[in-house]
Amino acid sequence: MKQVSLFGEVQGDESALNTVDSNKIGDLRPPITLVKNYLNVEQIEALIDEAQYYPFEKPIITVYGKQHPIPRQQVWFADQGCDYRFSSLYIKAQPWPKYAVKLKNKLQRDFHFHSNGVLVNRYANGNDSMGWHSDDEPEILKGSDIASISIGASRDFILRHKISQRQHQFVLSSGDLFIMHWPMQADWEHALPKRRRVIDLRLNFTFRCLRPYFHC
């Protein structure tokens, strides 16, 4: 695929495009698309530089009656009316920053992928993590896909089938694109486990499509 200017057309190694279709009954392969090196060095650096000014927070969530800070930092950017509820927390949409919206538009051009919000997670090092969960909140538009882009340190990303408990593990590196196709969230969970050996920062941009004004 051809290389183009900042946040232009799709790029990367065409042989690294890997789509898994799980439409067959009994097929326990997750419905995902993985594009290695989707972003180039200039695009990655632009996002890292911009993220230094993101208003990251570390909210407190309640689990089994006890309060805990989440093991990472996060911020939610979205269109007006696309507020988000996560683990009983109500998250007000922040205005889109320049390069995050350029990345949203790039996904639209390259894959006809529509989104109106992005959750950016900041993992300072391998001690930060994400536990098992599905992105199945009711405000997410039914039938929509979720696109995840990794920036910075390489981390293990694991999928687990809800019934069989079968797992698939991927190493997501800086610039990789991982699309979770509908109805993956109904059948699979995913997690980013702790990795003590990782000492560098990782950012993850997860683009979603919400039903506007769902919480109004």
Side-chain angles (χ1 to χ4, degrees):
M1 293 183 179
K2 62 183 179 181
Q3 301 292 318
V4 295
S5 60
L6 195 65
F7 293 96
E9 296 176 2
V10 65
Q11 58 190 18
D13 182 357
E14 203 165 6
S15 64
L17 179 62
N18 178 21
T19 300
V20 180
D21 183 0
S22 64
N23 288 328
K24 296 180 181 179
I25 296 176
D27 190 346
L28 294 182
R29 293 175 300 170
I32 63 99
T33 296
L34 172 60
V35 185
K36 303 294 288 184
N37 302 312
Y38 176 61
L39 300 184
N40 63 32
V41 173
E42 291 77 14
Q43 293 165 339
I44 290 169
E45 289 179 348
L47 289 164
I48 290 175
D49 290 344
E50 181 177 82
Q52 295 181 61
Y53 304 99
Y54 287 177
F56 286 110
E57 295 181 345
K58 192 170 215 171
I60 305 294
I61 61 174
T62 302
V63 180
Y64 298 118
K66 295 183 179 181
Q67 291 189 322
H68 306 273
I70 65 171
R72 62 194 172 278
Q73 292 179 301
Q74 66 179 29
V75 62
W76 170 248
F77 300 115
D79 295 352
Q80 186 175 359
C82 292
D83 298 335
Y84 196 40
R85 189 174 294 279
F86 168 79
S87 295
S88 75
L89 296 172
Y90 183 75
I91 304 174
K92 190 76 174 174
Q94 300 291 322
W96 285 92
K98 177 180 176 180
Y99 286 112
V101 78
K102 283 181 177 289
L103 184 51
K104 176 178 82 79
N105 294 337
K106 176 174 168 59
L107 289 167
Q108 174 72 35
R109 288 193 304 271
D110 293 343
F111 294 95
H112 304 290
F113 179 90
H114 176 69
S115 63
N116 52 20
V118 61
L119 182 67
V120 185
N121 283 301
R122 183 185 187 276
Y123 303 88
N125 51 47
N127 290 316
D128 285 355
S129 63
M130 174 80 78
W132 288 111
H133 71 289
S134 297
D135 297 326
D136 55 1
E137 290 80 8
E139 61 264 49
I140 296 178
L141 185 66
K142 185 176 181 180
S144 63
D145 298 338
I146 294 177
S148 172
I149 294 176
S150 299
I151 300 290
S154 297
R155 293 289 296 266
D156 294 333
F157 184 73
I158 307 177
L159 309 181
R160 181 174 70 185
H161 193 264
K162 292 181 179 179
I163 297 176
S164 72
Q165 300 297 294
R166 180 174 178 177
Q167 294 188 11
H168 297 271
Q169 180 168 308
F170 303 85
V171 177
L172 299 183
S173 300
S174 194
D176 291 352
L177 166 65
F178 193 92
I179 303 177
M180 296 179 283
H181 299 288
W182 187 86
M184 178 178 159
Q185 307 303 326
D187 301 322
W188 295 81
E189 297 175 306
H190 51 277
L192 189 91
K194 293 180 183 291
R195 291 292 184 257
R196 306 292 184 186
R197 68 182 184 277
V198 177
I199 61 174
D200 294 325
L201 170 73
R202 176 186 188 257
L203 298 169
N204 180 246
F205 292 74
T206 306
F207 291 86
R208 306 148 195 251
C209 187
L210 270 59
R211 296 161 58 187
Y213 301 101
F214 179 83
H215 294 290
C216 292

